Structures are given as structure tokens and as C-alpha cells.
DNA sequence: CGCGATATTGATATAGATCAACTAATGTGG
DNA sequence: CCACATTAGTTGATCTATATCAATATCGCG
């Protein structure tokens, strides 16, 4: 099931098998994208939505001075431009970070799905609002936390999101193929400062980084530093009746 | 029509009169709220959504150190917790800034509306994604712009949003009942620095502030300082056929 | 009129940026 | 598989925007 990761952590229990199959069947094609490639530009008309199957992607906005700010990054299972369905065009660019595998669903198909299964429509709506909730949390992080807090928040959130799509191994390791530059663009910091901040977190035994993987050694302490309260990911709702 | 301001700037042309009337009829009651009152707490179950009719409201998150970060502020016409409909609970607090007049629509009614008029459902979905688009723009603003840019961005956006709901007078004045403290909480700055930054903008002839009103004297120059590109408000779509 | 909230201004401190090397890793073509 | 090129990471020195602290001025309201 290409949509399995998407449905994890997104109230899948609320869907009937018929709805799940209809969603899966809406996928039109799968494609492999190279790393570091901008796939959509701000302002472009969007006629299909992209489900990320493997790899990391991001959405960003350019500043006049040549720097850019990530507004969201995406892990497998994210429907990264589903908001383009109601919005019809995007207000930001979309790019791969690593090589990525994606699946496309045309907007026409989504319209059919939503009209036939209003309930599934509400789940898709919910999925786009998860992104909005993450945006809010980022505003908080970038607006109110210092460098240590922002990076701690980033790691806490990423671990939680990877766990939700079953991409944590039994030692707690997860892929983190971002450069320190990328991290800086996400957190509103320079790569130099990211470097120093990461070292502090490593020296304090908070995190471990090796190759392009990372793990958090003290989940609670890191969450405290990053003021990370995971309710905004709406994960526990998985276990609640509708 | 209580929903008139809401529909302005939200692709109202895509709605039939029947749909507009159904939306208007869904409003259950109107209430007046005092200034500076928190109306909803993070984590609370939401069973109705709030349409702001007059006044300013905001959504915010508290940091451990006692400071708070606004994640969004709302002008009349905003459906400020419509995202609570798919999400079922909120991940932030909601408060009035000024005295405010609000109208409520229960979630049950929204479900009825959406199932009867899928098209109206898509418009409501669109409305929640406008907030997400504003969130992204704020991440950009707070993450990449300096104090002058952030305040300039804030004023540019506010003017544009007030204009969209017809709350600019013919001299360009609009209500701006925020304290410098509020502005700081929105932009991730201290009130002291907001004060100095506002003075720079005033001294440069960019903005004028009097009483609890403001106007922008040089719209283009201010937009340049704030790197404000209004496409993310999706206003011009008003004039486009669906 | 007087009091609390808000705005203003100045002096000083500091987190993070900037600039500038240098080192380590990763990748690539022969 | 090595040699070299490129990219990413590391470290130090200095600079600057903004925070912090503190005092005063002004506004709006009962």
C-alpha cells in the first residue's frame, strides 16, 4: 500500500476499507526524483498532489538577500502539496533534499474521492491542517526559542514524526540527511551557529549523529529544552474513537 | 449578512446563492466578548467554530519563560477556529485583543453543510488553508527578516487584509488596537525594540500612527522592506473564474 | 485629577552573525 | 582503487542587532 505511511498517524481508524482502497486506487503514477531539485515554483498552477514515499523533501521561500527559509520539511507518508488542491497554486517552492520517491494523485481524482466519500474528504482536510499545526509550532520555535531550543525542538519533532511512520529503528536511530546549512535554513540560523549548537547538544549527551543518521539519547530532556509538546502532531488521536 | 466579510476575499464568486444562504443560516448565535480575554485553551475539545464579526483576536502559544508568541491574529471576517472542525481540539490558546463580536456555528451544522454542498466544503477547506499560508509567511518573516522587515511585513499584511474586508477608509486608515507589546509578541521582538523600530518607520515617512489607528504612507516601499508579496493571501482569485 | 497601562529613551550586555581559515568527508573520473 | 575535486563540517576572532535593565513620560480612563 503506497498510502500506508500517509494513513499512519492520520486517524486511519476512521476510514472504512472501501475508503482506504479508493484512496490507494487514486494514485496515478510513481516517480523517482533526484536530490536537491526544485520541483515546484511559487505561483505555479497545481493540478495534482504529491505523496512522498521515501526520502526528504521541503518547502521554502526565498529572501531577497539570497538566503532561504524552509517553511516545512517532509518525511515519507506526507502529502506535501495536498493544500494545493483547494488553493490551486502554491505560495512557496517545493524541493527534494535527498533523492525521493513520490506518487501523484490528480486533483480531478481527489474531487471524485471527496464527493463520493465526504468522510475521506474530512480526513484529507485534517491532513492539510496537520501541516498548519506544524507551521504554528515553528512560528513559536523560531519566534521565541534560542538556538539551542530551536535545534532541540527540530530533533524532537523529527524523531516523533519518523516514529509515527515507523522509521525509527530499535536503537532509536532515524535518517537525517540534512546538512547543517539545511538545518540553519529551517531554524533561522547560520550553518556556523548550527554547528556550534549541535556540538553543545552532543557534548551534553542529548543527541548522537553518525553518517546521515541521528538519534536522541535523552528524549525527555531534549523535549524540555525545545519546549516540545507533541499534541500538535495529533498522534494520540489514532487510539481514540471518532 | 453576518458572513459577508468572511466571504469577501474567499472566492465567494464560486458559491451559489443557495450555498451562501445555507452558510448564513448555520450561524447559531452572536456574542460580545470583552477585551483581553482568553476564550479557548490549548487541548480543549472544540464543538463549534467562531466567526469574528468585529474587533481583533489572536491565537498564541506560551513559552516556559512567561513570554508568549502570537501565531496568528484575526480581523473581522476571519473564521478563527474553523480548523478546529477537522482537528477536534486546538493546539494553541485563543484570545480577544479588543472587545469583539463573534458568531458561532456548531460542528454538527458544518457537517450537514459540507455533506449537502461539497463545493461549500471545499471553500471552507480553502479558508483554513489561507491561515496556513499566512503561517508560512510568518515563519519566513520571523526566521529571515530583521526587526524592520518584520514590522514592515506586519503592517503590509494587515493593511491588505483590512482592505480585503473593506475596513480601510478613503485616506487609507485602519484600526490597529495592538499595543507595542502585542506587536512584539507577534513578531518575536521585545516591546522596546518594537518601539524603536516603529519610530524609524515613522521617521522615514513609511507609516503614520494616531490613536488606535494606522495608515501606510508608502505602500510599495514598505512592501519592499518587508519583502511582502501578497500572493499568499489569494485575493486576486476573487476576480478569476473557477 | 490621579492611577495604571503604555510608550519612550538611554546605557549596557549578549546571542548569534559574519568573515576567514582549515579539516574531514564524500564523490568522481581515469 | 586511487587522486583529486567538491562539499560539508569545524574552529577562532570580531562585529552587530537585539535583549535587558532602568528610568521617565504620556495616555486613557474611572
Amino acid at each position: 500500500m503506497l498510502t500506508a505511511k500517509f494513513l499512519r498517524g492520520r486517524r486511519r481508524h476512521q476510514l472504512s476499507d472501501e475508503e482506504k482502497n479508493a484512496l490507494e486506487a487514486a494514485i496515478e503514477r510513481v516517480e523517482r526524483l533526484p536530490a536537491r531539485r526544485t520541483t515546484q515554483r511559487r505561483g505555479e498552477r497545481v493540478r495534482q498532489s504529491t505523496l512522498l514515499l521515501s526520502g526528504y523533501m521541503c518547502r521554502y521561500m526565498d529572501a531577497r538577500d539570497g538566503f532561504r527559509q524552509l517553511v516545512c520539511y517532509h518525511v515519507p507518508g506526507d502529502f506535501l502539496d495536498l493544500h494545493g488542491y483547494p488553493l490551486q497554486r502554491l505560495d512557496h517552492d517545493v524541493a527534494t533534499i535527498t533523492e525521493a520517491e513520490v506518487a501523484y494523485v490528480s486533483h480531478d481524482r481527489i474531487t471524485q474521492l471527496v464527493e463520493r466519500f465526504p468522510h475521506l474528504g474530512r480526513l484529507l482536510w485534517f491532513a492539510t491542517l496537520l501541516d498548519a499545526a506544524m507551521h504554528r509550532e515553528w512560528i513559536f520555535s523560531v519566534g521565541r526559542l534560542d538556538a539551542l531550543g530551536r535545534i532541540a525542538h527540530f530533533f524532537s519533532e523529527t524523531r516523533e514524526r519518523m516514529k509515527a511512520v515507523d522509521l525509527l529503528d530499535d536503537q532509536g536511530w532515524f535518517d537525517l540527511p540534512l546538512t547543517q546549512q539545511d538545518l540553519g535554513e529551517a531554524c533561522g540560523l547560520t550553518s556556523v551557529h548550527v554547528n556550534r549548537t549541535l556540538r553543545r547538544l552532543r557534548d551534553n549527551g542529548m543527541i548522537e549523529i553518525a553518517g546521515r543518521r541521528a538519534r536522541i539519547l535523552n528524549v525527555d530532556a531534549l523535549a524540555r529544552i525545545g519546549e516540545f509538546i507533541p499534541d500538535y502532531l495529533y498522534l494520540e488521536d489514532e487510539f481514540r474513537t471518532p
Side-chain angles (χ1 to χ4, degrees), chain A residues 49-192:
Chain A
S49 289
T50 314
L51 177 61
L52 181 58
L53 300 174
S54 72
Y56 268 77
M57 295 184 72
C58 67
R59 306 192 255 150
Y60 67 92
M61 302 173 90
D62 285 307
R64 225 191 352 246
D65 60 12
F67 287 92
R68 67 178 192 176
Q69 173 70 41
L70 296 203
V71 293
C72 204
Y73 66 97
H74 290 286
V75 303
D78 287 353
F79 228 131
L80 58 94
D81 53 1
L82 188 56
H83 60 301
Y85 170 63
L87 290 177
Q88 302 185 312
R89 60 191 167 76
L90 298 183
D91 44 77
H92 55 261
D93 297 343
V94 179
T96 57
I97 293 176
T98 60
E99 190 186 22
E101 220 179 351
V102 294
Y104 297 108
V105 183
S106 78
H107 287 177
D108 291 345
R109 291 262 193 140
I110 297 178
T111 300
Q112 288 164 24
L113 275 182
V114 168
E115 298 198 340
R116 183 147 162 242
F117 305 106
H119 200 250
L120 174 59
R122 209 140 61 238
L123 184 129
L124 295 179
W125 187 354
F126 170 81
T128 60
L129 294 183
L130 272 186
D131 282 7
M134 287 190 263
H135 292 340
R136 285 190 286 275
E137 193 72 14
W138 277 46
I139 293 172
F140 170 77
S141 167
V142 175
R144 279 272 94 90
L145 302 183
D146 62 11
L148 201 71
R150 289 184 217 174
I151 300 282
H153 193 283
F154 180 94
F155 273 82
S156 298
E157 177 179 315
T158 305
R159 189 193 121 103
E160 200 65 22
R161 288 170 66 184
M162 292 301 266
K163 189 171 127 200
V165 289
D166 202 27
L167 289 174
L168 274 197
D169 74 15
D170 40 2
Q171 323 265 310
W173 290 98
F174 55 93
D175 283 330
L176 194 78
L178 308 197
T179 63
Q180 295 180 355
Q181 179 70 33
D182 294 327
L183 261 174
E185 288 171 352
C187 298
L189 299 167
T190 59
S191 62
V192 172

Side-chain angles (χ1 to χ4, degrees), chain A residues 202-239:
Chain A
R202 267 192 270 114
D203 292 351
N204 295 339
M206 289 291 160
I207 60 173
E208 196 178 344
I209 298 178
R212 313 210 118 208
R213 315 203 83 204
R215 69 168 163 171
I216 297 175
L217 300 172
N218 192 335
V219 174
D220 291 345
L222 198 71
R224 245 182 333 270
I225 295 171
E227 305 200 20
F228 174 71
I229 302 165
D231 63 346
Y232 70 94
L233 297 172
Y234 293 82
L235 289 169
E236 79 287 12
D237 297 19
E238 276 300 310
F239 311 110

